[in-house]
Amino acid sequence: MRLALAGDTMLGRGVAERLSEMPASALVAAEVTEAFREADVAVLNLECCISERGARWPAPGKPFFFRAPPGAVDLLIHLGVRCVTLANNHALDYGVDALLDTFAALDAAGIAWVGAGPDLERARAPVTLQVDGSQLAVFGATDHPLDFAATPDGPGVALLDHEQPGWLTDTVGTARADAVLVTPHWGPNMVEGPIPQVRRTAERLVAAGATLVAGHSAHVFHGVAGRVLFDLGDFVDDYRVDPVLRNDLGILALVELGPDGARRLEAVPLKLDFAYTRLADGADARWIERRFSSACAQLGTSLETANGRLVVDLGD
């Protein structure tokens, strides 16, 4: 099977304003949509709630609150997204009512969701997607914030403790599926590579049986090591651009899975303009190639270029 994996997809604030003026499909270039549709399954991190209800989460010092209108789900439908993870630090930005509305909006659109739930059991549970006779189990979890954590009888996200990740590694190890994708929201924002805690947890997830680990949170893409894509960066947003780390440049990961596991990654270079994502070209594409090549090399991974894409043999 072939997966399309995108990172943080924030459809609130300035993006939401654009959605009031134009169809959701106008947030991405046609060429990006075509790349998504090369895959059998598309999965991304939904970095917002989808609702018209709720009040801002009362956390002291929390600076950003992201809520998308109901029409935002049309973008996911347009891209052919089969599953989103809600395990992140914006799922409860507008409280429980908005999170419950997000579940309902995704359910109505036929889009599966992981990493959050009406209670702890559902938040931690994977979903299993049928793909041409094969099964893909998808898990979501986040290492922050603590106050968003689901409880045995209360809504929230599936919280990951890097020191004690047992609930996740144990569940991954017992998943009954042909392939297992774990998509964690982990580590700090705006760092060039994975921190030690993230690298240790990634190793544990692979040892437990994850076919592929594809993380996000940093807002910039990281390198690849074996079956681990440490950070997918951003996909759609309205964020301020760091001139050094260039969070306006990203990748869409197209990953081929076979009976023996993850085989090949094609990273499609992306340019994130304000509330609009297109293919990167020129100097931007060259910057992405240099940065991704360097980030992979630091993890002992080499890559090639082919037809404007960055290719990694995941079987090495």
Side-chain angles (χ1 to χ4, degrees):
M1 70 179 75
R2 190 169 170 87
L3 309 183
L5 304 172
D8 296 349
T9 304
M10 199 288 287
L11 305 179
R13 207 167 59 180
V15 185
E17 292 177 8
R18 287 286 179 90
L19 284 169
S20 69
E21 303 167 352
M22 60 184 65
S25 59
L27 298 178
V28 296
E31 296 81 3
V32 175
T33 301
E34 290 171 6
F36 264 89
R37 293 179 178 173
E38 293 178 26
D40 302 301
V41 176
V43 180
L44 56 74
N45 173 50
L46 186 61
E47 186 93 348
C48 60
C49 56
I50 298 177
S51 179
E52 295 178 307
R53 299 194 299 159
R56 288 185 170 188
W57 189 260
K62 181 174 173 58
F64 303 118
F65 299 84
F66 301 145
R67 177 175 57 183
V73 76
D74 291 342
L75 176 64
L76 308 179
I77 296 170
H78 173 72
L79 294 173
V81 172
R82 292 273 306 272
C83 179
V84 302
T85 176
L86 301 174
N88 57 61
N89 55 310
H90 293 287
L92 276 165
D93 274 3
Y94 283 82
V96 169
D97 287 343
L99 179 61
L100 297 178
D101 287 348
T102 305
F103 300 156
L106 294 169
D107 287 341
I111 298 170
W113 41 274
V114 295
D119 54 46
L120 181 61
E121 181 178 6
R122 177 63 180 86
R124 289 180 170 182
V127 297
T128 301
L129 306 176
Q130 303 294 324
V131 187
D132 293 333
S134 298
Q135 293 182 322
L136 173 68
V138 184
F139 291 81
T142 180
D143 62 9
H144 65 287
L146 297 178
D147 56 342
F148 276 18
T151 64
D153 56 0
V157 301
L159 194 66
L160 171 63
D161 181 345
H162 289 290
E163 298 304 318
Q164 297 180 324
W167 75 262
L168 183 55
T169 53
D170 289 350
T171 312
V172 165
T174 58
R176 296 184 178 181
D178 298 291
V180 176
L181 168 66
V182 184
T183 178
H185 200 68
W186 54 12
N189 294 167
M190 306 306 290
V191 292
E192 292 186 341
I195 61 175
Q197 300 96 305
V198 163
R199 296 184 66 166
R200 287 196 298 269
T201 299
E203 292 173 356
R204 292 172 176 175
L205 290 170
V206 170
T211 309
L212 189 71
V213 179
H216 30 79
S217 180
H219 298 305
V220 293
F221 59 82
H222 290 171
V224 176
R227 289 181 273 169
V228 182
L229 288 58
F230 279 103
D231 204 295
L232 295 166
D234 291 348
F235 177 60
V236 176
D237 61 48
D238 67 352
Y239 299 157
R240 180 182 63 84
V241 177
D242 185 293
V244 176
L245 293 177
R246 295 297 306 272
N247 53 303
D248 62 327
L249 299 178
I251 58 171
L252 171 66
L254 300 176
V255 181
E256 179 183 344
L257 304 182
D260 54 347
R263 291 177 173 173
R264 173 184 171 94
L265 161 70
E266 292 184 9
V268 181
L270 302 176
K271 175 67 169 75
L272 280 66
D273 295 322
F274 183 92
Y276 180 70
T277 300
R278 57 183 173 86
L279 297 184
D281 57 14
D284 289 334
R286 291 191 293 273
W287 190 97
I288 292 171
E289 180 179 351
R290 290 194 302 271
R291 176 72 188 94
F292 193 52
S293 178
S294 174
C296 286
Q298 291 174 25
L299 297 169
T301 302
S302 59
L303 59 81
E304 300 177 348
T305 60
N307 301 316
R309 296 180 176 182
L310 311 175
V311 181
V312 176
D313 184 352
L314 299 177
D316 286 350

